[in-house]
Amino acid sequence: MDSATSDPRTPAEPRPASATRAPLGASADNGLKIVVVGGFGVGKTTMVRSVSEIRPLNTEETMTQAGESVDDTSEVRGKTATTVAFDFGRITLDARNVLYLFGAPGQERFWFLWDRLFSGTLGAVVLVDTRRIDDSWYAIDRLEKHGTPFIVACNDFGGPGFPPEQVREALDLDPHVPLVRCDARSRASSKLVLITLVEHIQARYADPSRATRQELV
């Protein structure tokens, strides 16, 4: 589901045509960076596409047989394309503040890009497919080492869900880290995820005792 073109599900919400043509105001001078990270095929590209007010920049390539020996596609059979660098979208908050959204590549062979993407990041969304929850551990570990505020969003792929307490236990989440459910195809749902992240960041900096100790990496 990392790509809208490879998502076998019916789109939950159509993108308005005008949303891809919104110009950036000349008065905007404060750029805020958020990263969407997670395992292979969890829906990062789909989330960036659904919520961006501009036509997102994607670095997707068609998946070929040559990659089968490198990437585990056993749980994402419907996936036909994959991100090889990062996705980029934009949301205008007000006349002076703009949110820049980066979707990180999920394959292990591209993890070396993550530390650079995390540089200067206000916060992050860890997108999780609960059918493959182990794929999320590396993202959480790297964010904790960087001291980057983050929330966890469980993308809804259908089928039986898991109680929040089970997901928290499986991911060994700090009690202060918000855990939400979402549908990455839905603009409204993705916006709620970003709102939750911003509220978490505000609460974190209002109470420094909740901040994770930043480690050198």
Side-chain angles (χ1 to χ4, degrees), residues 106-122:
Q107 301 98 310
E108 183 175 353
R109 57 194 166 109
F110 295 124
W111 284 353
F112 71 93
L113 295 171
W114 287 15
D115 288 339
R116 293 296 182 92
L117 279 177
F118 293 164
S119 178
T121 297
L122 180 68

Side-chain angles (χ1 to χ4, degrees), residues 1-4 7 9 15 34-37 42-53 56 58 87 89 91 101-103 124-128 151-155 180-187 189-194:
M1 184 185 161
D2 202 42
S3 163
D7 190 346
R9 304 179 300 170
R15 294 280 297 148
I34 284 180
V35 173
V36 181
V37 69
V42 296
K44 301 179 295 297
T45 296
T46 301
M47 175 170 281
V48 173
R49 282 178 172 170
S50 71
V51 80
S52 177
E53 68 187 12
N58 299 128
D87 304 305
I91 303 171
L101 200 59
F102 291 81
V125 175
V126 179
L127 203 56
V128 173
I151 69 169
V152 173
C154 296
N155 196 9
V180 298
R181 293 185 64 86
C182 73
D183 183 340
R185 302 167 299 169
S186 166
R187 179 176 175 81
S189 181
S190 296
K191 284 178 64 176
L192 286 176
V193 170
L194 297 180

Side-chain angles (χ1 to χ4, degrees), residues 89-215:
R90 190 194 78 203
I91 303 171
T92 300
L93 302 179
D94 54 41
R96 305 190 68 86
N97 296 287
V98 177
L99 183 68
Y100 296 118
L101 200 59
F102 291 81
Q107 301 98 310
E108 183 175 353
R109 57 194 166 109
F110 295 124
W111 284 353
F112 71 93
L113 295 171
W114 287 15
D115 288 339
R116 293 296 182 92
L117 279 177
F118 293 164
S119 178
T121 297
L122 180 68
V125 175
V126 179
L127 203 56
V128 173
D129 178 354
T130 55
R131 303 169 303 176
R132 300 177 288 121
I133 206 161
D134 290 358
D135 294 350
S136 309
W137 290 346
Y138 183 80
I140 291 173
D141 178 70
R142 298 312 300 168
L143 290 167
E144 289 179 341
K145 287 185 181 298
H146 276 265
T148 302
F150 68 92
I151 69 169
V152 173
C154 296
N155 196 9
D156 185 7
F157 283 87
F162 294 90
E165 57 272 15
Q166 289 188 13
V167 177
R168 282 191 174 277
E169 182 178 0
L171 293 174
D172 193 24
L173 285 183
D174 185 284
H176 297 302
V177 175
L179 174 66
V180 298
R181 293 185 64 86
C182 73
D183 183 340
R185 302 167 299 169
S186 166
R187 179 176 175 81
S189 181
S190 296
K191 284 178 64 176
L192 286 176
V193 170
L194 297 180
I195 290 170
T196 301
L197 173 60
V198 171
E199 291 175 343
H200 173 57
I201 293 169
Q202 290 176 331
R204 183 178 187 270
Y205 286 109
D207 182 4
S209 66
R210 295 174 58 176
T212 304
R213 181 174 62 89
Q214 185 169 353
E215 302 177 4

